Amino acid sequence: MATQTLIQYLESEQFSAFPGGAATPIGLDSMNRRQEETFLAGATVAVGDVVSLDLSAANAGLRAITIVPANDGAAATNIPVGVVLGSAESDGALTTGSKIRVCVRGLCGAKVVGSAAGDVLTTSALNGEAVTTAAATEPRFAQALEAAVALPGLTAVYVSGRF
């Protein structure tokens, strides 16, 4: 399950092979210091959802590998681990039982409501969304890198390595 923490790409733009061609900026998917893990979905998730370990799983062994959309209304079971990047399944499924790619540390896009660049983020009462919090509030899991964009858009965040 664990991935390596090697620096995988250090360029900030892709250069054209053709004379006079323009450089293309490289986005959040370049894996600059990003660490991804694969989990099992305990519920349907969407790209950009903040996810938590599913501590309601009957089998104790599944609790560490199963994720659900994070929700601060369930404080005792709200352990945010990262942000959904997409499906690890060949059919692209993001439903219960599917394998899900999650950013557990580094740059990615997340569903964020009402934040400014530099704000510390925590989970909200709405499944899978992040909101601004006081720096000392737990569980904080990320920091906004830009002002929140209107949903369903994704805001650039840096996920702290909590997992």
Side-chain angles (χ1 to χ4, degrees):
M1 180 166 121
T3 59
Q4 296 183 17
T5 57
L6 302 173
I7 297 172
Q8 297 165 355
Y9 197 74
L10 292 176
E11 301 299 326
S12 60
E13 53 187 7
Q14 178 181 4
F15 298 98
S16 174
F18 299 106
T24 305
I26 295 173
L28 294 176
D29 293 333
S30 67
M31 296 197 54
N32 290 334
R33 296 173 174 83
R34 178 193 287 175
Q35 184 177 0
E36 297 178 19
E37 300 288 348
T38 302
F39 291 88
L40 296 175
T44 298
V45 295
V47 172
D49 276 357
V50 177
V51 290
S52 172
L53 292 178
D54 183 7
L55 298 183
S56 69
N59 179 330
L62 290 177
R63 293 177 191 157
I65 62 170
T66 306
I67 49 105
V68 293
N71 181 323
D72 75 351
T77 59
N78 186 36
I79 302 174
V81 294
V83 177
V84 173
L85 296 173
S87 176
E89 302 283 353
S90 58
D91 64 358
L94 294 168
T95 55
T96 304
S98 300
K99 294 176 187 164
I100 307 296
R101 292 178 29 248
V102 176
C103 173
V104 295
R105 186 183 60 175
L107 301 171
C108 63
K111 293 179 181 175
V112 179
V113 177
S115 74
D119 284 356
V120 176
L121 302 174
T122 191
T123 55
S124 81
L126 299 174
N127 285 343
E129 292 181 6
V131 293
T132 299
T133 185
T137 303
E138 291 293 338
R140 56 179 194 244
F141 75 95
Q143 187 165 355
L145 300 179
E146 62 186 5
V149 298
L151 295 177
L154 301 180
T155 300
V157 301
Y158 187 89
V159 176
S160 307
R162 295 183 48 131
F163 178 73

